[in-house]
Amino acid sequence: MTADVPVGLTAAPGARVGIDVGGTFTDFVLALPGDARGLLHHKEPSTPGDPARAVADGLAAVLDRAGLRSGDLASITHGTTIGLNAIIQRRGARIALVVTEGYRDILEIGRSRMPSSFDLHAVKEEPLVPRDRIVEIAARLGPDGRPVHTPDDRELARVAEELAATGAEAAAVLVLHGHTDPAFEARLTERLGALLPGLPLTSSAAIWPEVREFERALVACLNVYIQPLMRRYFDRLEALLDGLGVTAPVYIAASNGGSLSLRSAAERPIETVLSGPAAGVTAATRLGRAAGIQRLVTFDMGGTSSDIAIAVDGEPEFATHTTIGGLPLILPVVAVSAIGAGGGSVVRADEYGVLKVGPDSAGADPGPVAYGRGGIRPTVTDCYLHTGVIDPATFLGGRMALDAPAAARALGRVAEGLGFDSADQAADGALRVATAGMAVELQKTLAGRGLDPAEFTLVPFGGAGPTHAAVLAEEVGIREIVVPPTAATFCALGAVGADLRRDFARSLRRDLDDTSVDALRSILAGLESQARTWLSEQGPATGATHLTLAVDMSYTGQAYELRVPLTSPLTPAGLTEAFHQEHERLYGFRDAGAAIRIGTARLAISAAGPDLTPARLPDTANAAPTGPAGHRTVLLSGRRVTADVHKRDALRTGHILTGPAVVEQDDTTVLVPPGWSATVDRLGNLRLRYS
């Protein structure tokens, strides 16, 4: 299922491929430098039982379509949620944890918080490692980094024997205060590894040397939990790519919006768990910079779920504390929030006769009822088909015919369970329910940051994002939408242009004075050395190297810290004023007399990826307007209206259309409801505005 979108671009020599593995489709974008076609896009049905198979099959199809050989590829960047799905579904490896004596219950106790303070039936998340696979060791550092207990050979032999008895496939090692001297924990892990040569061991401080023992233990455990699965996948992928004759380096998209080598991803798979959504946000921020959009909200609606992220002034929002599968993660990631259903989310009547949308998804197999693959439960996609927004004959450019009568029958059964008169009511009601749930989550996300939806532009992508965008925007009060030309494969586009990037951190936890600033300088120098060594191991960089420095700071006694960019002189006075300014910006005041503490030093290194700046299209504002390709009846907000049908590839810069209208392209459908208008800008984006 392939489509060309004539979007010009400027890129480095050599064809580059971006890949995003989704629940329903695996998306591909091939950048063709110096070629009039610019970008080539492809959607391959995902193969959940063997995800690498869809990657290999789709890559072969893309190369064939482009008339290229495997040797013409300069690089492949691949986003995946395999690790994330393994964590959510709890199907990772059997792992163990070695922890300082007296801290065997660290994962069980956690932060001693229930998921919901007001839900008497809330069930606490099960620990990732059960207590009988946690082994204590007489090893401990003090908060100043000095050894309190160092295990002797007899102690190590005992621990190795108990660890082997757990039957674990991999294990993590955590020493109390290990972040103060990562080398201590690394030596301990190495000594244990010599006694257990068949058991992969990982030091928690090597993964992320930041204070907070529970979260650091969890990061290390999550890494080893998905590592065997990810390594098997990477080995399978390499074998299939070798079979195609591919010799280009393979990179994996990272949760921080960058990318890393296949080797780094195999060693630190925890850094890839949010790679797919993060790549889409990266592409959206590039679009925002090119289109002059200062504030944007991304809306990624795929087959399983819908995600949002916020970007201001061309930079996505990052988070150092997020949750995956109910477990906290302290690694820096692009701040992506799940807000609701996807195109494959199942529509049903629950046992009380209440209309529900999701969280179950039909996935790629069997998929929505209309796909004709044996699915019997209707989905959001079936609803859009039944309402007339999606044309069964032109779905995916006509290469995949949909069964509209089957979708109608399935929705009719849901209607009966709800006491509705028709499938129309079930379809319309399901879309309203999905929109209401998304709107609540989006408004909460913006309100929690003190942001006004009316000041933001919505950038939708994913196969269903452009279809649902205007309905969601109208619900939350967003008045402008920008739909990129390649919306359905946007995450793959983000991957193909991703920078090489990795984040580093080290906690200090000291009062701000001359001594602590000297220690901060030393730590930052060490982090920079690590970062440059890492970058040199990733393969040839395509652009300039950039370092970003920051430090977490707080007033003494505060429970949480603020991230302060290190743009001021690295002196006590300079850091003090920088922290005061940041505190004043966020909270409206400063406490000039309060003592200040330095928390964690942070450094990010990046090497720019290929330049994929879209070329400006010719101005055709004075050309004769392009009329609709046809008309059809569409069910919108409970009533049938006649909508103009436009073909996206027939629209030119400056052409204006008004709703109700449907804009069809090979890989998605854009809905322009009544009250909205749309025009094409100089970059090929479709800009919708609410009047």
Side-chain angles (χ1 to χ4, degrees), residues 526-676:
L527 294 180
E528 180 176 348
S529 177
Q530 290 180 49
R532 293 191 181 280
T533 299
W534 174 84
L535 187 61
S536 68
E537 296 171 347
Q538 301 309 296
T542 58
T545 300
H546 182 66
L547 293 174
T548 303
L549 309 179
V551 61
D552 294 352
M553 302 174 68
S554 67
Y555 291 122
T556 300
Q558 283 184 316
Y560 293 96
E561 299 161 335
L562 298 182
R563 178 75 43 80
V564 179
L566 290 182
T567 55
S568 304
L570 202 56
T571 63
L575 288 174
T576 296
E577 179 58 25
F579 173 71
H580 282 322
Q581 289 181 6
E582 185 66 8
H583 197 278
E584 194 168 27
R585 183 184 72 83
L586 288 173
Y587 301 114
F589 74 96
R590 64 170 67 195
D591 187 349
I596 297 173
R597 282 180 64 81
I598 296 176
T600 299
R602 300 183 185 275
L603 181 146
I605 190 168
S606 61
D611 180 12
L612 298 180
T613 304
R616 292 185 175 272
L617 302 180
D619 188 358
T620 59
N622 296 322
T626 299
H631 310 274
R632 68 170 174 262
T633 302
V634 177
L635 178 65
L636 296 176
S637 300
R639 64 189 184 94
R640 292 280 177 179
V641 298
T642 300
D644 295 334
V645 178
H646 296 266
K647 300 297 182 183
R648 180 101 185 235
D649 56 9
L651 298 177
R652 296 292 180 266
T653 304
H655 288 161
I656 299 174
L657 54 96
T658 58
V662 172
V663 181
E664 296 180 338
Q665 58 190 80
D666 281 354
D667 49 11
T668 191
T669 299
V670 184
L671 174 62
V672 185
W676 290 78

Side-chain angles (χ1 to χ4, degrees), residues 92 158 170 176 254 425 432 436 442 468 639:
R158 178 194 64 80
L176 191 66
Q425 290 177 290
R432 290 173 185 251
L442 176 52
H468 203 78
R639 64 189 184 94

Side-chain angles (χ1 to χ4, degrees), residues 223-285:
N223 194 76
V224 296
Y225 185 66
I226 63 174
Q227 194 169 41
L229 173 69
M230 296 296 287
R231 280 183 168 163
R232 287 193 295 271
Y233 172 72
F234 292 148
D235 289 344
R236 169 69 170 157
L237 179 64
E238 283 191 297
L240 290 174
L241 294 181
D242 286 344
L244 294 175
V246 173
T247 58
V250 178
Y251 299 94
I252 304 300
S255 305
N256 61 11
S259 62
L260 59 164
S261 70
L262 194 64
R263 176 184 171 188
S264 288
E267 293 173 351
R268 303 171 64 89
I270 190 61
E271 294 189 354
T272 71
V273 291
L274 297 173
S275 63
V281 178
T282 299
T285 54

Side-chain angles (χ1 to χ4, degrees), residues 124-165:
K124 185 180 177 184
E125 197 70 39
E126 286 290 326
L128 199 64
V129 186
R131 195 173 191 272
D132 60 0
R133 293 208 300 271
I134 298 180
V135 179
E136 293 184 330
I137 186 171
R140 178 171 181 163
L141 293 172
D144 58 359
R146 297 177 182 176
V148 176
H149 297 295
T150 302
D152 56 21
D153 291 343
R154 178 180 297 179
E155 172 69 0
L156 288 173
R158 178 194 64 80
V159 171
E161 182 179 354
E162 291 187 21
L163 197 54

Side-chain angles (χ1 to χ4, degrees), residues 485-542:
T486 59
T489 53
F490 211 53
C491 290
L493 178 63
V496 78
D499 299 344
L500 285 171
R501 177 184 169 119
R502 186 177 156 194
D503 293 270
F504 297 80
R506 176 89 180 272
S507 290
L508 286 79
R509 305 283 284 182
R510 299 187 188 180
D511 292 333
L512 176 59
D513 54 27
D514 288 330
T515 302
S516 64
V517 171
D518 287 341
L520 176 62
R521 291 194 191 98
S522 176
I523 286 176
L524 288 172
L527 294 180
E528 180 176 348
S529 177
Q530 290 180 49
R532 293 191 181 280
T533 299
W534 174 84
L535 187 61
S536 68
E537 296 171 347
Q538 301 309 296
T542 58

Side-chain angles (χ1 to χ4, degrees), residues 273-638:
V273 291
L274 297 173
S275 63
V281 178
T282 299
T285 54
R286 286 203 301 262
L287 178 150
R289 288 193 292 266
I293 302 171
Q294 297 300 312
R295 295 187 164 207
L296 61 86
V297 175
T298 67
F299 174 51
D300 179 6
M301 186 172 179
T304 304
S305 64
S306 296
D307 303 316
I308 62 163
I310 297 168
V312 177
D313 296 329
E315 293 296 329
E317 183 182 65
F318 285 86
T320 53
H321 292 82
T322 189
T323 301
I324 55 172
L327 302 172
L329 180 69
I330 59 172
L331 294 178
V333 299
V334 174
V336 177
S337 302
I339 64 165
S345 295
V346 172
V347 176
R348 61 188 172 87
D350 69 8
E351 62 270 28
Y352 303 107
V354 177
L355 180 60
K356 300 287 187 180
V357 181
D360 291 345
S361 173
D365 186 15
V369 174
Y371 283 10
R373 297 176 180 166
I376 58 174
R377 299 188 297 171
T379 66
V380 170
T381 296
D382 292 306
C383 292
Y384 270 119
L385 176 64
H386 184 73
T387 58
V389 174
I390 295 176
D391 185 347
T394 60
F395 188 72
L396 286 177
R399 288 179 296 276
M400 183 176 179
L402 299 182
D403 189 344
R409 289 191 297 270
L411 286 166
R413 290 191 293 270
V414 173
E416 290 175 7
L418 296 167
F420 290 169
D421 295 330
S422 68
D424 283 8
Q425 290 177 290
D428 183 64
L431 294 176
R432 290 173 185 251
V433 168
T435 301
M438 294 177 188
V440 168
E441 293 301 320
L442 176 52
Q443 287 169 324
K444 281 166 51 179
T445 300
L446 291 174
R449 294 159 173 76
L451 302 174
D452 182 0
E455 298 177 356
F456 281 78
T457 296
L458 191 68
V459 179
F461 49 92
T467 310
H468 203 78
V471 180
L472 175 62
E474 195 168 333
E475 185 80 10
V476 300
I478 292 176
R479 305 180 69 87
E480 183 180 54
I481 301 169
V482 175
V483 183
T486 59
T489 53
F490 211 53
C491 290
L493 178 63
V496 78
D499 299 344
L500 285 171
R501 177 184 169 119
R502 186 177 156 194
D503 293 270
F504 297 80
R506 176 89 180 272
S507 290
L508 286 79
R509 305 283 284 182
R510 299 187 188 180
D511 292 333
L512 176 59
D513 54 27
D514 288 330
T515 302
S516 64
V517 171
D518 287 341
L520 176 62
R521 291 194 191 98
S522 176
I523 286 176
L524 288 172
L527 294 180
E528 180 176 348
S529 177
Q530 290 180 49
R532 293 191 181 280
T533 299
W534 174 84
L535 187 61
S536 68
E537 296 171 347
Q538 301 309 296
T542 58
T545 300
H546 182 66
L547 293 174
T548 303
L549 309 179
V551 61
D552 294 352
M553 302 174 68
S554 67
Y555 291 122
T556 300
Q558 283 184 316
Y560 293 96
E561 299 161 335
L562 298 182
R563 178 75 43 80
V564 179
L566 290 182
T567 55
S568 304
L570 202 56
T571 63
L575 288 174
T576 296
E577 179 58 25
F579 173 71
H580 282 322
Q581 289 181 6
E582 185 66 8
H583 197 278
E584 194 168 27
R585 183 184 72 83
L586 288 173
Y587 301 114
F589 74 96
R590 64 170 67 195
D591 187 349
I596 297 173
R597 282 180 64 81
I598 296 176
T600 299
R602 300 183 185 275
L603 181 146
I605 190 168
S606 61
D611 180 12
L612 298 180
T613 304
R616 292 185 175 272
L617 302 180
D619 188 358
T620 59
N622 296 322
T626 299
H631 310 274
R632 68 170 174 262
T633 302
V634 177
L635 178 65
L636 296 176
S637 300

